[in-house]
Structures are given as structure tokens and as C-alpha cells.
């Protein structure tokens, strides 16, 4: 069904929410095609590094826009490249490209098909994967066969540039030698477009801003709407069944304050244990106390200032990685620990445990999954609710998609005080007593809840926070789950109003020492806009525009002996 986008001004009563085979094998030998670049925001002096705009040919005749940063001298040089749909013309992006070029590389920054100056139709990531079009493969092979290239190619990038690298690895381009991923992903349904089964049309409408033709993005969103479950369409964008085809070494960086950390960890585990001969046993993982992004791996994160040991020199280490694999420089980079992860602790408290790096041969480390039960009155502890006292205990809250609770953020608001959300009328918290000794959680937190609703469909949001003695509730992880997908993302099963259903899902990866005197808090709600766009709760098919028949629901979390809702915490012993 084709879903047209109506004028957004008609929504004043709602909250503001957010095919061609290989044409010619010899096209890789095509000459470099130089085009005049658009006038940049400012002129930048790159010194002895040369910035050049080129158009790289794909197998179907489309050309992708790329900016090359070439070091001084005659070459040839190894090549490293990044793929993005975002603009490549920001000053910091261009300077970063030039900086890496000074390390003795041709650096190529490439825009996805249909974005900015790249030709063709914008189809999201679909043209760069392992289908009929393979833009990542074609780009890699073109870069690896130019006269100024040694034939050794590496890739780097975060987020969108991370997904691109996983897709590329599956296609096995002959010139690809190694990769360096930061905050990456494997499956766009699970980790991108449909997190926990939720929908975010307002967020993804904004991708039209990067398109040569904004209509392409509307067409893409309509296409997505026609595939509400994890079907063959979405499986074509999932790398996880293809680890065996990934055959190159990779260094992966993840961030604790990032929901995409699930992709970073899964990438490492899959490539390390299921990868091809060139991949298995040649993966490295590092996870630190950071938010999402490639260039922000420092001490300041959200409202917290971590010790100096939290700094990770991304650019320096990236070049060392490439120096070893692409130049053969024996610099010891592969002698570093296979896994390093930062266990976070209280900041600004003398003598508090945590805020230290751990080394390991693999990930995750052993932990004991420990129950933390929800109780009446908002308490949280390891005791299952007693039958006599809480036979019918439950906690209710309203879920009104027209008047949603507010999380005013575009990205995950981790490492910040979450009380502004927790104190809203239809948000519920469950908190431990003050801890008498430090407790470390390292691993993946799971939610096992029992929920009933007056609606056929609703969302549930679960958060975990570290509550300081002064009352601050520092958000560490959160995750949503749409109830129609409680039995799996490959099917939609609506609820019977009033019936109690088990709802089990992962909340996120964590490594945190909760200090003595601190408390652990679990927060539950069904709305949190605009970060989580509200579920209309009408049980109908997803639409791009918010429907007129959205309904309000009363949702109930049960915490009786029979329906003992709990969080499973990975307690490090």
C-alpha cells in the first residue's frame, strides 16, 4: 500500500515528533573522472595534502561522489576509505581526512548512492550490501586498482560507516585487507530502523535532506511500511547469517552509552568465532564509557567527567592498525589484548570502585544472571514477591500517544540525570535500598516482565540507572519493546485486552560498579517522545503519518508471585 505524506501542519493536535548485472568487469580500470566540487563552506589549507573530488563508477553505470585526500610524493600508497550518507564537507571531516593522509595513505570519503553529489536513486543501505548492486565492493575494487594505489585497501568509520563495513566484508572484495569499526551494526531492522519493533517515521523522514531527490526517501519509507515484520526484505539487510563470508581482521570499538553497542559486540563475537579463515581469531574489541560517535572517545560524557584513563586515541590507533596490515610495519598493535573493556564506576567520589580497564581473551566475561524483582511501592530487590502479601500486586500507568511522556533527545541521553523523565506522571520507578557494598554488573541485562493492557498493542520502555547519594539518577541503558512483536519480530500478534502476557527482551550491555551508598533503579514507561515516537496503540498497520484513531491505554506491570516481573542482571562474582 502506498502511503502518502500529508502536510505536517495538519497535526496541530499531536505532539511534534519526531536492478542490473555486472555491466563490464573491466570498469575497475576506468580513468579517474574529476568533477568540479561545490563551493565549500570555507577554504581550508591542507598543507601538502591534496583534496580532489572524483566520481567512482559502479557496475550499473552510476557514479558515486568521493573526496580523495592524497599525501605528498609519487606513491603508490595504500588506500583507506569510509562510506556515509551524511555530508562529507564539514570542516572537521575534511581535516580528519587530510590528517590520515599525512600518515601515508590515500583517504577516500564516499557518499552513498543518491545522496549529495552521488548519482542514482537513494535506497538506504540496500545498494551497498550483498544483492544485485554492490556499491561497497565496486568502490573498494576501483580504489584498489588505480595507478596511485598499492592494491591494499582498508576501511574505517562509525555508525552508518560501521554498517557499511560489515556489508562490505560479506562481499569479499579481493583488495580489502582489514577494517576498523566504531559503534557499528549488523541488522538494520533490529539495530536501526525498527529497534525493539518500534517505528520512527519522523526521524527517518529527515533522511530526505541528504538525497539528491527527496522523493527517493518517501519511496523508501513507503517500501519499509510494506514490510512490518522481519521478512525476506529485511533479512537482505542482516549480516548475521553471513559471518562465514567475512574474511578480514577487524578492530571494533564500542560504547557503553550507545544502544548500537549490541551491534559492536555481536560483530566481534560473530567474526571472531564464526568468521572465515582471515577473520576468525583475528578480531579485537574495545568498549569504553562513551556516547555514540567516532571522535568523542574522551573523558567528558553527558554530565559525567571520567578519569583520564577513559581517553581512547581513535585516530592514532586507527593509523597504527592500518600501518600494520596495509604497510607491514611491526608496531605491536596485534600484540595488544584481544578484548579490553572499561568498567564504569561513580565519578567524583574518592575511593569509589570501578573506572578501570579490564583485559580478556574473549567477551563477554562470566557472570551470574541474578534476579532483581519489581515490588509494590516501587522497591527493587532479589526477593520474589511473597504470595500472601502480593498475590495480586501490580503497577498501572497511562499510555496516551497524543500526550506522551517526554524524552527531549535526538540521541540516547545516557550519562545524564534522568529524574526529569522519571518524575513525569505516567512513568514508574523501582529502586533498591542503598547498597552496603559495591555491586558489579558486566554483561547483557534482560527484562522479563508480565504486562496487561486495555489496548491491543502498546510499547514498553525499560531503563537502568545508577542513583547517586545526592539523588541524581544517571541513565546507563534503556530499550523499547513493541508488544505485537513479543513472540518474535517475524510475526505480529496483537494482545487481548486485560490478558497478562510475558514480555522478555534485552535491555542492553553494561559494565558498571554500583558503589556503596548508591542505589540501582529500573524505570518503566510506555511513551518517551520525541526520542521514542508513540505507538498509536490501535492495533492497525503502521503508517507514516500519525493516525486519527490512536487510542489511550492503561498498562499494568504485574509483580505477584504468579507474575513476578524482574530484571536479570549479569552480576560479576
Amino acid at each position: 500500500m502506498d502511503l502518502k505524506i500529508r502536510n505536517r501542519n495538519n497535526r496541530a493536535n499531536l505532539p511534534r515528533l519526531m536492478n542490473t548485472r555486472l555491466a563490464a568487469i573491466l570498469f575497475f580500470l576506468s580513468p579517474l573522472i574529476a568533477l568540479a566540487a561545490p563551493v565549500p563552506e570555507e577554504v581550508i589549507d591542507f598543507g601538502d595534502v591534496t583534496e580532489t573530488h572524483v566520481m567512482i563508477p559502479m557496475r550499473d553505470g552510476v557514479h558515486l561522489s568521493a573526496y580523495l585526500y592524497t599525501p605528498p610524493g609519487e606513491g603508490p600508497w595504500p588506500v583507506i576509505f569510509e562510506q556515509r550518507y551524511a555530508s562529507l564537507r564539514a570542516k572537521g571531516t575534511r581535516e580528519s581526512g587530510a590528517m590520515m593522509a599525512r600518515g601515508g595513505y590515500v583517504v577516500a570519503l564516499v557518499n552513498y548512492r543518491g545522496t549529495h553529489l552521488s548519482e542514482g536513486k537513494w535506497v538506504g543501505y540496500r545498494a551497498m550490501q550483498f544483492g544485485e548492486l554492490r556499491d561497497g565492493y565496486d568502490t573498494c575494487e576501483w580504489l584498489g586498482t588505480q595507478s596511485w594505489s598499492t592494491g591494499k585497501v582498508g576501511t574505517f568509520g562509525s555508525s552508518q560507516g560501521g554498517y557499511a563495513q560489515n556489508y562490505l566484508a560479506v562481499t569479499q572484495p579481493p583488495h580489502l585487507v582489514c577494517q576498523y569499526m566504531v559503534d557499528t551494526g549488523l541488522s538494520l531492522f533490529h539495530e536501526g530502523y525498527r529497534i525493539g519493533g518500534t517505528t520512527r517515521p519522523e526521524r527517518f523522514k529527515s533522511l530526505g535532506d541528504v538525497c539528491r531527490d527527496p522523493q527517493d526517501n518517501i519511496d523508501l519509507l513507503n517500501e519499509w511500511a510494506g514490510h512490518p515484520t522481519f521478512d525476506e526484505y529485511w533479512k537482505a539487510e542482516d549480516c548475521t547469517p553471513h559471518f562465514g563470508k567475512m574474511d578480514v581482521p577487524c578492530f571494533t570499538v564500542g560504547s557503553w552509552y550507545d544502544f548500537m553497542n549490541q551491534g559492536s559486540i555481536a560483530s566481534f563475537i560473530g567474526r571472531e568465532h564464526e568468521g572465515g579463515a582471515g577473520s576468525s581469531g583475528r578480531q579485537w574489541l574495545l568498549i569504553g564509557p562513551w556516547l555514540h560517535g567516532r571522535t568523542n572517545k574522551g573523558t567528558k560524557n553527558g554530565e559525567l567527567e571520567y578519569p583520564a584513563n577513559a581517553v581512547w586515541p581513535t585516530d592514532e590507533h586507527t593509523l597504527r592498525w592500518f600501518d600494520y596490515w596495509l604497510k607491514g610495519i611491526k608496531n605491536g598493535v596485534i600484540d595488544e589484548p584481544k578484548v579490553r573493556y572499561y568498567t564504569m564506576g561513580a565519578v567524583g567520589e574518592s575511593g569509589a570502585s570501578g573506572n578501570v580497564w579490564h583485559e580478556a581473551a574473549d567477551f563477554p566475561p562470566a557472570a551470574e544472571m541474578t534476579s532483581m524483582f519489581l515490588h509494590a511501592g516501587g522497591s527493587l530487590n532479589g526477593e520474589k514477591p511473597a504470595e500472601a502479601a502480593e498475590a495480586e500486586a501490580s503497577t498501572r500507568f497511562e499510555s496516551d500517544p497524543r500526550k506522551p511522556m517526554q524524552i527531549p533527545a535526538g540521541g540516547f541521553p545516557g550519562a545524564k540525570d534522568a529524574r526529569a523523565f522519571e518524575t513525569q506522571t505516567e512513568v514508574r520507578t523501582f529502586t533498591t535500598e542503598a547498597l552496603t557494598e559495591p555491586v558489579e554488573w558486566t554483561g547483557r541485562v534482560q527484562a522479563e516482565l508480565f504486562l496487561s493492557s486495555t489496548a491491543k498493542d502498546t510499547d514498553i520502555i525499560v531503563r537502568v540507572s545508577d542513583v547517586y547519594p545526592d539523588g541524581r539518577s544517571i541513565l546507563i541503558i534503556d530499550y523499547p519493546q513493541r508488544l505485537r512483536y513479543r513472540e518474535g519480530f517475524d510475526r505480529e500478534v496483537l494482545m487481548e485486552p486485560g490478558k497478562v502476557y510475558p514480555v522478555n527482551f534485552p535491555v542492553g550491555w553494561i559494565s558498571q560498579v554500583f558503589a556503596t551508598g548508591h542505589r540501582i533503579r529500573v524505570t518503566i514507561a510506555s511513551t518517551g517522545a520525541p526520542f521514542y515516537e508513540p505507538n498509536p496503540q490501535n492495533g492497525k498497520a503502521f503508517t507514516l503519518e500519525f493516525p486519527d484513531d490512536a487510542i489511550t491505554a492503561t498498562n499494568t506491570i504485574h509483580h505477584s508471585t504468579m507474575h513476578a516481573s524482574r530484571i536479570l542482571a549479569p552480576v560479576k562474582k
Side-chain angles (χ1 to χ4, degrees), residues 495-543:
M495 296 186 293
E496 179 183 328
K499 184 176 178 179
V500 180
Y501 294 94
V503 186
N504 306 327
F505 60 97
V507 181
W509 289 92
I510 189 173
S511 187
Q512 174 79 31
V513 174
F514 297 93
T516 300
H518 286 227
R519 293 175 292 157
I520 303 170
R521 175 168 293 163
V522 171
T523 299
I524 295 178
S526 283
T527 58
F531 185 61
Y532 292 116
E533 297 180 26
N535 183 343
Q537 302 180 147
N538 56 15
K540 297 180 180 179
F542 159 63
T543 58

Side-chain angles (χ1 to χ4, degrees), residues 170-184:
V170 175
T171 66
Q172 300 181 325
H175 290 88
L176 180 65
V177 175
C178 64
Q179 299 182 301
Y180 199 107
M181 299 193 295
V182 180
D183 296 341
T184 190

Side-chain angles (χ1 to χ4, degrees), residues 285-286 335-343 356-363 365 572:
L285 175 67
L286 179 133
D335 298 321
E336 296 173 358
K338 292 281 294 181
V339 173
R340 282 169 284 183
Y341 62 93
Y342 193 94
T343 297
V356 294
W357 287 99
H358 295 282
E359 300 176 356
D362 208 344
F363 194 87
K572 188 80 174 291

